[in-house]
Amino acid sequence: MESSSGRSDPEEVCPICLEPPKREAYLDHCFHSFCYHCIVQWSKFVKKKSYQEEPSIKCPLCKAENLSIVHSFDGESFLRFYFNGDSRNSFFTSSHGYRLQCYSCELDDIHETPLWSQTRESSYYSFKNVRLISHLYRGIMLFIQEEDVGIIVHHVHGVIEAFFRSNKGDNTTLNPEKRREMFRALLIDAAWPFLHARTERFADELELFLASGLNIDAYDEVYMHHLENYSSSEASGHVAPIAEKMQEARLRWSASVSETRMKEITLDDGCCGLEQALIDPWIVSSS
Amino acid sequence: MQASRARLFKEYKEVQREKSADPDIQLVCDDSNIFKWTALIKGPSETPYEGGVFQLAFSIPEQYPLLPPQVRFLTKIFHPNVHFKTGEICLDILKNAWSPAWTLQSVCRAIIALMAHPEPDSPLNCDSGNLLRSGDIRGYQSMARMYTRLAAIPKKG
């Protein structure tokens, strides 16, 4: 039976292992396809043999020069592996690399956690957040995989700020869900020309970040915990209690802030669904 | 190591399946060692090798297909790019121009093409190369034909 289905149509097998491609990947210039593992292994082998940092490799099939491998295509978006991608001297740090991994995994599981359902109601989309800009910088840099993204960050940040400002006056006219939708639509409009199919995911990440009320380091820590727990407990069907982790992180951060600072902060009604005492004072509300 | 075995086994299955696809090539794997193969190839027509059957020995490295197989002629052949004594073959795809997309079968085809189109400018057999480079096509052809008759055509009776 195998001979009929596995009949090697050269278009359907990886030319390196001769099996149907696993994690199908393409070269960016000629678009010949391979298993991700096979073509990465070959590119590393060629690099090692040539003893020099070639920014490109020849396609094993057609000898066209290619700069990167396009992989993890999910119908909308994809990732790239650059042959000159020596992480030590590129602008990506290891934490960038980690985030990139986070972006390439499914977010669904995070949306289903108590964290998301708890904070979803809070009006994070209505108030200025001083940490937003650093999150934007990193997010856009990783999604576009370029270093010089300042102008895009300012554009998106400006759009968000304008939304926060315009919201101040008429808090009561729209219900929170409507406003959240407006916020998201605005965000997607602003980022779409640069991020294309990855915009939705970018918006998910941004909303989650804002909703968490954490700063980047604390947020990463929680995110990481969640992903690790998720992957290790996947088999047992146990979902990591991310909300608890969020609270722990909040406690750590709030403990480091002086009492006076705490008092200065005015909290709008329903600004955060979690205990007010635990709220990280670094969220500066619009008042 | 594991990858090379899996791939060679895949090629083995392909060869069994496509036995009649290419009548000029017969690839056989050593029963006890998947890293040793033998091929019989027919000399291409309209060349001095026509009518001859040439035996090739393949020795496959463990890093295959990242590294090319080592191939040599077991049958004596008079060709500018084949060492007359050792049977070593000078062919770019078996050295620097190797790509893992080549298979043992396609390497055989490349060797047949090399037999039909010698490259006298990178000779391993200088006598043969010099004949061609000096324009003595007849001399090269008659030498090559003689060795084909002597070594590559089964003796009758």
Side-chain angles (χ1 to χ4, degrees):
Chain A
M1 278 326 286
E2 203 216 24
S3 62
S4 58
S5 61
R7 188 127 199 130
S8 302
D9 180 352
E11 295 301 311
E12 282 169 21
V13 302
C14 164
I16 298 179
C17 65
L18 306 180
E19 305 277 351
K22 291 179 277 291
R23 282 188 72 191
E24 195 164 23
Y26 304 85
L27 290 171
D28 64 0
H29 188 77
C30 61
F31 265 83
H32 281 119
S33 75
F34 305 87
C35 302
Y36 178 72
H37 174 75
C38 287
I39 190 65
V40 168
Q41 198 191 22
W42 172 244
S43 73
K44 286 183 178 160
F45 185 82
V46 171
K47 222 168 164 178
K48 212 165 70 187
K49 215 173 53 175
S50 66
Y51 297 110
Q52 50 190 353
E53 290 297 309
E54 294 281 345
S56 65
I57 68 155
K58 284 194 175 84
C59 170
L61 281 175
C62 68
K63 297 186 184 171
E65 295 285 349
N66 288 272
L67 294 173
S68 69
I69 300 168
V70 172
H71 63 99
S72 305
F73 180 64
D74 61 4
E76 281 188 341
S77 58
F78 57 83
L79 294 174
R80 278 178 160 211
F81 173 91
Y82 282 91
F83 299 122
N84 66 351
D86 188 347
S87 55
R88 278 162 302 177
N89 43 23
S90 87
F91 62 91
F92 287 127
T93 63
S94 59
S95 88
H96 280 129
Y98 185 77
R99 282 307 290 171
L100 206 55
Q101 266 184 300
C102 295
Y103 291 150
S104 62
C105 72
E106 289 304 312
L107 189 69
D108 296 352
D109 36 292
I110 284 186
H111 268 151
E112 283 159 15
T113 59
L115 161 82
W116 187 247
S117 50
Q118 272 178 25
T119 52
R120 216 175 147 80
E121 297 309 314
S122 72
S123 23
Y124 59 86
Y125 40 81
S126 297
F127 304 103
K128 195 176 157 86
N129 182 325
V130 287
R131 305 187 194 102
L132 177 61
I133 194 128
S134 49
H135 182 84
L136 279 175
Y137 250 111
R138 189 177 66 173
I140 293 178
M141 210 154 102
L142 288 176
F143 273 104
I144 304 184
Q145 302 210 347
E146 270 182 38
E147 190 173 9
D148 191 13
V149 294
I151 205 157
I152 305 171
V153 171
H154 278 282
H155 168 66
V156 176
H157 192 239
V159 168
I160 296 172
E161 293 268 274
F163 181 82
F164 290 157
R165 273 200 302 278
S166 72
N167 248 296
K168 251 192 215 169
D170 51 6
N171 268 349
T172 46
T173 52
L174 286 168
N175 68 36
E177 191 53 30
K178 258 261 162 5
R179 255 188 302 162
R180 198 192 70 85
E181 276 171 26
M182 268 175 66
F183 174 75
R184 196 183 161 89
L186 205 73
L187 183 62
I188 287 175
D189 271 355
W192 177 266
F194 311 103
L195 302 181
H196 309 290
R198 311 212 71 183
T199 313
E200 293 278 345
R201 180 61 193 264
F202 170 75
D204 287 345
E205 290 282 346
L206 190 86
E207 281 191 281
L208 192 62
F209 174 73
L210 287 176
S212 75
L214 298 171
N215 75 359
I216 282 206
D217 293 334
Y219 174 77
D220 282 355
E221 205 177 304
V222 174
Y223 204 113
M224 202 145 75
H225 262 294
H226 173 70
L227 286 185
E228 276 164 13
N229 288 350
Y230 184 79
S231 54
S232 62
S233 62
E234 217 169 4
S236 64
H238 171 73
V239 178
I242 194 165
E244 283 170 28
K245 297 272 188 234
M246 283 283 183
Q247 287 194 5
E248 278 172 32
R250 273 166 207 279
L251 273 171
R252 263 204 303 285
W253 281 96
S254 54
S256 67
V257 178
S258 67
E259 283 287 312
T260 46
R261 189 75 201 273
M262 293 281 274
K263 282 173 193 152
E264 281 167 19
I265 292 156
T266 41
L267 294 160
D268 285 74
D269 292 346
C271 169
C272 199
L274 297 161
E275 295 97 310
Q276 296 199 339
L278 296 181
I279 289 202
D280 175 356
W282 290 104
I283 308 179
V284 182
S285 76
S286 60
S287 62
Chain B
M1 170 90 181
Q2 216 48 47
S4 60
R5 275 177 196 279
R7 156 125 177 190
L8 284 168
F9 189 59
K10 194 89 189 166
E11 288 196 44
Y12 176 76
K13 284 200 284 186
E14 196 66 21
V15 163
Q16 298 307 308
R17 198 183 291 153
E18 306 268 338
K19 249 182 180 153
S20 55
D22 199 335
D24 296 339
I25 300 167
Q26 198 186 331
L27 257 171
V28 187
C29 175
D30 186 323
D31 288 343
S32 59
N33 184 354
I34 201 165
F35 294 101
K36 300 276 178 220
W37 292 59
T38 311
L40 293 173
I41 57 176
K42 281 189 188 161
S45 56
E46 290 169 42
T47 69
Y49 311 106
E50 186 172 4
V53 175
F54 298 82
Q55 197 178 0
L56 301 171
F58 284 78
S59 173
I60 290 133
E62 285 188 358
Q63 277 179 286
Y64 181 80
L66 298 177
L67 284 175
Q70 292 176 342
V71 193
R72 62 189 191 92
F73 274 90
L74 290 180
T75 309
K76 192 93 23 220
I77 179 171
F78 185 80
H79 185 286
N81 308 111
V82 182
H83 195 285
F84 192 68
K85 288 216 168 81
T86 64
E88 187 196 335
I89 303 167
C90 178
L91 184 56
D92 59 351
I93 61 141
L94 295 174
K95 310 243 156 57
N96 300 331
W98 169 254
S99 140
W102 288 94
T103 61
L104 300 183
Q105 184 87 17
S106 61
V107 164
C108 287
R109 268 184 234 125
I111 291 172
I112 292 173
L114 180 71
M115 288 166 84
H117 304 279
E119 296 280 350
D121 289 332
S122 53
L124 272 177
N125 179 338
C126 292
D127 295 333
S128 169
N130 286 340
L131 282 172
L132 273 177
R133 278 202 285 190
S134 63
D136 189 356
I137 309 289
R138 246 183 100 178
Y140 153 75
Q141 286 183 336
S142 47
M143 284 289 277
R145 197 172 296 117
M146 182 186 82
Y147 278 107
T148 302
R149 286 210 186 128
L150 279 177
I153 296 178
K155 295 184 177 59
K156 285 176 193 130

